[in-house]
Amino acid sequence: SDIKFMQTKVANSQQFVCTACGFNMIGFYPKRCRFCGTTPDNFISVEECSAKYRVQSLPVNDKVTQLKSIPQLGYEHAAYQINTGDAVVLIDCPSSFDTTVMPMDYILFTHNDFLGASNLYRQQFGAQIWIHKHDAAHPNSRYFTFDHCFETGFQLSGIEAVHIGGHSPGFTIYFFEDILFICDYVETCDERLIWNSYGNRFKTKIAGQQIAHVLEERKLKTVCDVSRAWEYKVWKANFDELIKEK
C-alpha cells in the first residue's frame, strides 16, 4: 500500500475497530485504518464495539452456522461455525467480540484480510488460531497471535483445507462434508461472479484455475462465501462462466 501509517503506541490491552471496514487494530491507535485507510473518526474501542454490535447466528444446515455482526460492521467477512461432532471450528472470525457466541476449539482462516476479534475469542475460549504461514507474515497480521502456521493443506476434525494462493499468498479454501468455504476469492457483481478486485488479479485468476481443478469430481451442495450461502449448482454455473472469461 502507498499509505504510510503513523501509529501512537497505547497499552497492549487496548483494541480498536474500524466501523468502515471491520478491521481490528490491536495495541495502537493509527492515523489511518491499516486495511481500508479511513480516518480515526470511524474507529471505536473494542468495548464500544461489543456494546453496539452483536454476532448473529444464521443456520446453513444442522452442522454449519453463519456468523456476522448485527448491525453490519463495515464490509466484514462472514464467518462460519462448524460443529463437526468432536470440535467446534470457525472458518474466519467475526469482527465484533460477543461472549454469547458458542465457544470454539479452532479458528481457521482463509486469509489475512479480516482477522476479526480472533485474539479476543482465543483469550476468552482458549481457541487455537490457524493460518497459512505466508499470510501470517503480512504486516497487518503482526499484532495477532497464531497457534499454528501451516504450509500445506491438512485434515482437521472432518474439515479439509486446500491451499490455493492467488488473492493472498496463503489463501486457503475449506471443505466440510458437502460444503465449500471460499470467503471472498470471488465476489458477486450484478448477480454474476467476478474475481476479487484486491491483490494481484493475474495471480488470483491463475489460482482460480486450481480451484476449478480441486472442485472436479466433488459432490457438493452448498458454497459459503463472504456474505451468503449459495446452492452449489447455481454458484458453480456462475464460476464456470467466470473461468471461461479471457
Side-chain angles (χ1 to χ4, degrees), residues 103-168:
M104 72 293 297
D105 301 293
Y106 299 92
I107 302 173
L108 309 180
F109 279 106
T110 54
H111 63 309
N112 66 288
D113 282 351
F114 282 87
L115 300 173
S118 58
N119 62 310
L120 300 178
Y121 287 107
R122 178 182 183 272
Q123 184 179 43
Q124 179 75 15
F125 299 120
Q128 288 191 30
I129 301 178
W130 292 27
I131 193 170
H132 194 279
K133 72 169 188 176
H134 291 329
D135 284 359
H138 191 280
N140 286 353
S141 302
R142 62 188 291 193
Y143 297 98
F144 289 82
T145 299
F146 305 110
D147 298 285
H148 179 57
C149 296
F150 54 87
E151 299 183 42
T152 62
F154 60 87
Q155 302 270 349
L156 175 71
S157 192
I159 297 169
E160 178 186 359
V162 179
H163 174 234
I164 298 296
H167 170 53
S168 74

Side-chain angles (χ1 to χ4, degrees), residues 25 44 47 52 72 74 82 128 166 184 193 197-198:
M25 294 160 283
I44 58 176
E47 292 82 9
K52 182 176 180 180
Q72 184 173 337
I82 306 173
Q128 288 191 30
D184 65 348
L193 294 181
S197 57
Y198 292 92

